[in-house]
Amino acid sequence: HEMSHGFDNVGRLFGPNFEMSSWWDNITIRNYKKRADCIGRYYHTYTSAGRHVHSNQTLEEDIADRGGLHLAYLAMQSALAGERH
């Protein structure tokens, strides 16, 4: 989860030396925004105490959660297959 923050909607704005810079090309940015919008729409369907999650306020965490879950799933698949790294 925490490592995924380097690629969330804020972390992606920082370069390799922690300076704010736009280091992605326009095609990458456009594709990223499409995927981030998809995650935002998905999390907006969640409710808590009868209210929708405001995914525009939680997008950083939503992206990091998605990244963490994906890596955990890949690790589980690897472990079940008996792979060693």
Side-chain angles (χ1 to χ4, degrees), residues 9 11 13 19 21 32 40-42 50 54 58 62-63 65 70 78 84:
N9 54 320
L13 302 174
E19 77 284 358
S21 66
Y32 174 87
R41 285 191 309 274
Y42 177 76
H54 293 284
T58 62
D62 299 340
I63 290 171
D65 288 346
H70 180 71
S78 178
R84 293 188 178 260

Side-chain angles (χ1 to χ4, degrees), residues 1 3 6 15-16 18 22 31 38 48 51 60 68 74 77 82:
H1 167 99
M3 291 180 4
F18 306 106
S22 182
N31 287 331
C38 180
S48 176
R51 297 174 56 185
E60 290 173 55
L74 292 176
Q77 284 185 315

Side-chain angles (χ1 to χ4, degrees), residues 5-68:
H5 278 294
F7 302 96
D8 66 22
N9 54 320
V10 174
R12 73 173 186 85
L13 302 174
F14 290 88
N17 297 314
F18 306 106
E19 77 284 358
M20 263 190 117
S21 66
S22 182
W23 58 286
W24 290 359
D25 63 43
N26 290 334
I27 293 171
T28 301
I29 292 169
R30 186 172 41 248
N31 287 331
Y32 174 87
K33 287 182 177 180
K34 283 182 191 176
R35 288 176 173 88
D37 288 345
C38 180
I39 290 171
R41 285 191 309 274
Y42 177 76
Y43 278 90
H44 184 71
T45 65
Y46 280 72
T47 58
S48 176
R51 297 174 56 185
H52 279 285
V53 171
H54 293 284
S55 56
N56 58 329
Q57 296 173 354
T58 62
L59 190 58
E60 290 173 55
E61 291 301 319
D62 299 340
I63 290 171
D65 288 346
R66 172 64 178 85

